[in-house]
């Protein structure tokens, strides 16, 4: 890692994918104005056809860490920018499960949680109610070990959730929200 937060571009065919990586330890509590300003500038000036943001902590989760106290700063500081600048995916871990969440009405950002590589947890009823109250749909929750793989083309990204035996247990394909 070149820094605690940074970005880079990768070319896929004729399209550029802008990856923005955050240090969510400080952002989730709203204590890092420098990083938040940097993040806004990254999104505002992005030359990417696609934008994908990666951080450790979730914005939404139906897992153990999905309660308001853990996600509040991410929800208040990061989420509005993801939607405004049409970020395709927000990828994170922290909760020890595999999850796919979406906003019910304005389906711009897909929230991908892949935190069960070494430990697994079950869902949390308070967190489930919290995400529902925010208009978020928990499309998939897998409480066991696994990981997530991505395949990006010029027109779409395919996200595959894979268990410890190498089986795809769930997948989805998404078009680019910035192309609309």
């Amino acid at each position: 890692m070149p820094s605690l937060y940074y970005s880079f571009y990768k070319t896929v065919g004729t399209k550029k994918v802008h990856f923005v990586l955050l240090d969510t330890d400080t952002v989730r509590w709203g204590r890092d104005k420098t990083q938040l300003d940097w993040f806004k500038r990254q999104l505002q000036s992005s030359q990417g056809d696609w934008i994908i943001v990666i951080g450790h902590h979730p914005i939404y989760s139906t897992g153990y860490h999905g309660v308001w106290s853990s996600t509040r700063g991410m929800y208040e500081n990061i989420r509005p920018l993801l939607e405004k600048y049409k970020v395709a995916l927000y990828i994170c871990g922290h909760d020890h499960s595999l999850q796919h969440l979406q906003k019910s009405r304005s389906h711009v950002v897909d929230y991908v949680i892949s935190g069960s590589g070494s430990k697994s947890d079950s869902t949390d009823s308070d967190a489930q109610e919290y995400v529902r109250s925010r208009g978020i749909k928990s499309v998939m929750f897998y409480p066991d070990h696994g990981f997530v793989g991505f395949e990006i083309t010029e027109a779409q990204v395919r996200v595959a959730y894979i268990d410890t035996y190498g089986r795809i247990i769930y997948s989805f394909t998404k078009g680019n929200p910035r192309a609309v």
Side-chain angles (χ1 to χ4, degrees), residues 41-76:
R41 286 192 309 275
Q42 288 293 309
L43 298 179
Q44 287 169 342
S45 64
S46 179
Q47 300 298 307
D49 298 293
W50 289 85
I51 302 175
I52 296 175
V53 176
I54 302 166
H56 178 76
H57 296 91
I59 294 172
Y60 300 110
S61 172
T62 58
Y64 178 76
H65 295 102
V67 292
W68 178 241
S69 62
S70 178
T71 61
R72 180 178 179 179
M74 296 295 292
Y75 178 83
E76 292 174 347

Side-chain angles (χ1 to χ4, degrees), residues 79-92:
R79 178 202 49 84
L81 298 170
L82 301 178
E83 294 174 4
K84 179 178 181 178
Y85 293 103
K86 297 183 179 179
V87 170
L89 300 172
Y90 177 73
I91 303 166
C92 65

Side-chain angles (χ1 to χ4, degrees), residues 55-125:
H56 178 76
H57 296 91
I59 294 172
Y60 300 110
S61 172
T62 58
Y64 178 76
H65 295 102
V67 292
W68 178 241
S69 62
S70 178
T71 61
R72 180 178 179 179
M74 296 295 292
Y75 178 83
E76 292 174 347
N77 297 312
I78 303 301
R79 178 202 49 84
L81 298 170
L82 301 178
E83 294 174 4
K84 179 178 181 178
Y85 293 103
K86 297 183 179 179
V87 170
L89 300 172
Y90 177 73
I91 303 166
C92 65
H94 196 55
D95 265 325
H96 298 283
S97 57
L98 300 176
Q99 298 182 51
H100 175 207
L101 299 108
Q102 307 174 318
K103 193 158 187 173
S104 300
R105 283 174 267 124
S106 64
H107 178 60
V108 174
V109 185
D110 280 86
Y111 299 90
V112 175
I113 298 176
S114 178
S116 63
S118 66
K119 183 179 175 182
S120 60
D121 286 332
S122 61
T123 189
D124 181 276
S125 60

